[in-house]
Amino acid sequence: MIPERLILFTLGGEELALSLQQIGEVMEPQRSYPFAGAPAHYLGLINFHGNLTALVDLALYLGLKSRPLPGKLLVLDPRLAHLALKVDAVSAIIASDLVTGEEPGDGPLTEAYLETPRGRVRLLQLEALISGLEEGLSQSPPRMQS
């Protein structure tokens, strides 16, 4: 089922989407603090309205070409996770009635491919993304600080 409204964003030249209802805020990058022992795609922790929130380089996690900051941060609805995703840019917010075609996704992180006025867009499966990030973090071996 296609969400009522989608937020479209770019990563490594690819256009992706999430349900707008899953996003708490879009913000400019801010200072992050190291997250010892975390996998490389964790850029650190940020202060999001008084809550420590993990910042993830989504391109790096998905195996796409990562670009240095700036970019934008998609902060998830805190009821879902205290997580912010670094993306290259936010390109649009569109209503589901503008989607003209849908194909099933080809992996656990891709819910569907959608035909939109901006072209073909990969709709991410946020629950699978959060689960994968949590699993990767729990399997990350602790590192000693030098």
Side-chain angles (χ1 to χ4, degrees):
M1 184 171 142
I2 302 172
E4 189 173 309
R5 292 191 303 165
L6 299 162
I7 184 165
L8 307 182
F9 56 95
T10 56
L11 278 179
E14 185 178 343
E15 190 107 33
L16 297 102
L18 284 168
S19 167
L20 185 60
Q21 292 181 321
Q22 298 168 324
I23 304 301
E25 191 168 320
V26 177
M27 59 190 298
E28 298 296 324
Q30 61 174 276
R31 183 176 179 180
S32 64
Y33 300 90
F35 191 170
H41 52 269
Y42 281 90
L43 299 176
L45 296 169
I46 62 171
N47 180 345
F48 178 67
H49 301 297
N51 293 308
L52 286 178
T53 301
L55 175 59
V56 170
D57 184 331
L58 187 56
L60 195 59
Y61 179 72
L62 295 176
L64 301 172
K65 183 177 180 184
S66 177
R67 296 172 60 186
L69 292 170
K72 294 288 184 189
L73 303 184
L74 301 179
V75 183
L76 301 186
D77 183 325
R79 292 173 293 185
L80 300 172
H82 290 281
L83 187 64
L85 306 171
K86 180 184 100 44
V87 301
D88 294 343
V90 173
S91 48
I93 294 173
I94 66 168
S96 62
D97 59 356
L98 294 176
V99 174
T100 57
E102 179 181 3
E103 295 177 25
D106 56 1
L109 295 178
T110 304
E111 185 170 333
Y113 289 96
L114 307 175
E115 291 299 327
T116 73
R118 297 189 56 86
R120 189 173 191 216
V121 173
R122 179 164 51 145
L123 176 62
L124 292 178
Q125 171 56 267
L126 186 62
E127 292 80 13
L129 177 68
I130 292 170
S131 293
L133 286 166
E134 288 175 346
E135 185 176 320
L137 192 57
S138 68
Q139 295 175 355
S140 180
R143 290 184 288 186
M144 299 293 290
Q145 297 287 327
S146 56

